[in-house]
Amino acid sequence: MSSSVSPKTAAPSVDVVVVGSINADQVVRVPRHPKPGETLLGSSLTHTAGGKGANQAVAAALQGARVAFVGAYGCDAYADVALEFLRSSGVYLAATRELDTNTGFAAIQVSDDGENSIVVIPGANEQVDAAFVSDNGSVIDDAAMVLLQGEVPASGFAQAVDMAVAAGRRVVVNLAPVIEVDREALLAADPLMVNEHEGGLVLEQLGLPVPAGDAARVAALLEAGFASVVMTLGARGALVASADAPEPVAVASPKVTAVDTTGAGDCFAGAFVAHMAAHPDQCDLVAAAEHAVRVAAFSVQHPGAQVSYPDKEAELPC
């Protein structure tokens, strides 16, 4: 059984509160992804920390942000694996709870060309609902911004947004995977951070047509009511736009050879909010994206998710 995270009596002042998922990742390296019904021989098997929420929290902490986490893990053998980098990177874990269930688990296949496929078993993450966030989310009052994803229940997502808005905190949403969430809670995102596919799904969720082309989707999301949008484009970088500056700005990614893209989008998100936290008076979304693409490009040159994330001392690709 995993040791429980010891609670503390008072939350510190933090830059970012991440409300999200914690997983143990089982990573299998394969020459290519198998076809249905096909058996392939893999080259390696590893277990490491993952979960989109935990990934983003670790990435932000390694880039110098003071990060607190609201989430849950199970009382099983995978808990210590899942918590390893949250602990070592200095993420504040007093609002992270051990529950009488299994830790979230992700089965990941990574092919020789660096592409991955992922199946997630939510486990304890399924219990991060409205009641859980209400009971454990007081740290939101002490933060500059709240970062959310789509790997916890929609009620927990909405509760976190409500608490952040009531406290006057900035809400950053990386709705991955795209789940059905409260419309007003979703539109509170500033920015909404999605890839090109997720951007289309968000528009569909809002009952809007999905135009072809990345820039057109960014424009449609702004028209839907989002204050700002960051669309990640993998190796091509990102597009950034806001209601005040609606013409999308292309941010190019450094050219690197990808070994494993697992968690790269989460690395981008964490580095993005860390840069925002480090420059609170500027609120320059383009500069934050320029930093985040470099951090994410560093990560894809190494296997794994959190284990591949650089700290502030790392030499980032240009």
Side-chain angles (χ1 to χ4, degrees):
M1 180 180 295
S2 168
S3 59
S4 178
V5 175
S6 299
K8 299 181 180 179
T9 56
S13 176
V14 295
D15 298 313
V16 184
V17 171
V18 178
V19 181
S21 57
I22 301 172
N23 291 337
D25 287 353
Q26 175 182 275
V27 183
V28 178
R29 300 288 310 203
V30 292
R32 57 177 174 78
H33 295 289
K35 300 174 183 177
E38 182 183 16
T39 299
L40 286 179
L41 292 177
S43 58
S44 67
L45 169 66
T46 57
H47 291 92
T48 188
K52 296 192 73 62
N55 289 350
Q56 294 179 13
V58 169
L62 289 172
Q63 287 301 302
R66 298 167 299 170
V67 182
F69 195 88
V70 179
Y73 58 96
C75 53
D76 57 15
Y78 288 115
D80 281 326
V81 171
L83 292 167
E84 177 184 2
F85 292 99
L86 285 168
R87 289 168 169 158
S88 65
S89 64
V91 174
Y92 181 74
L93 295 174
T96 305
R97 303 293 183 221
E98 181 186 76
L99 303 179
D100 188 17
T101 185
N102 61 290
T103 301
F105 186 85
I108 303 171
Q109 291 182 350
V110 181
S111 60
D112 284 347
D113 63 3
E115 292 300 318
N116 62 66
S117 62
I118 305 174
V119 176
V120 176
I121 310 299
N125 300 312
E126 287 187 310
Q127 299 188 39
V128 185
D129 57 11
F132 182 98
V133 174
S134 180
D135 289 343
N136 297 285
S138 61
V139 68
I140 289 171
D141 292 339
D142 215 24
M145 70 187 81
V146 177
L147 175 60
L148 296 145
Q149 316 78 35
E151 285 189 339
V152 298
S155 68
F157 179 101
Q159 179 65 26
V161 173
D162 286 348
M163 294 174 71
V165 171
R169 308 312 179 204
R170 186 172 193 142
V171 176
V172 180
V173 173
N174 174 222
L175 196 63
V178 178
I179 61 171
E180 285 282 342
V181 295
D182 177 81
R183 180 187 183 95
E184 292 308 311
L186 180 57
L187 287 171
D190 182 15
L192 172 73
M193 191 178 299
V194 288
N195 64 26
E196 56 267 55
H197 175 65
E198 293 158 354
L201 292 176
V202 168
L203 288 168
E204 289 179 357
Q205 183 175 144
L206 296 174
L208 299 172
V210 180
D214 303 326
R217 291 187 184 187
V218 170
L221 289 165
L222 289 177
E223 291 171 6
F226 290 102
S228 58
V229 177
V230 177
M231 180 171 285
T232 57
L233 305 172
R236 292 184 288 136
L239 291 177
V240 180
S242 67
D244 295 332
E247 185 66 28
V249 175
V251 176
S253 174
K255 302 302 180 183
V256 298
T257 300
V259 172
D260 183 356
T261 59
T262 303
D266 298 331
C267 186
F268 178 99
F272 185 96
V273 296
H275 188 279
M276 290 178 63
H279 303 84
D281 298 329
Q282 298 178 15
C283 193
D284 188 336
L285 302 183
V286 172
E290 289 172 342
H291 175 68
V293 295
R294 297 179 65 203
V295 177
F298 180 101
S299 75
V300 302
Q301 298 177 94
H302 308 275
Q306 293 172 35
V307 70
S308 74
Y309 296 168
D311 62 21
K312 289 190 69 176
E313 304 307 316
E315 184 176 348
L316 301 177
C318 295

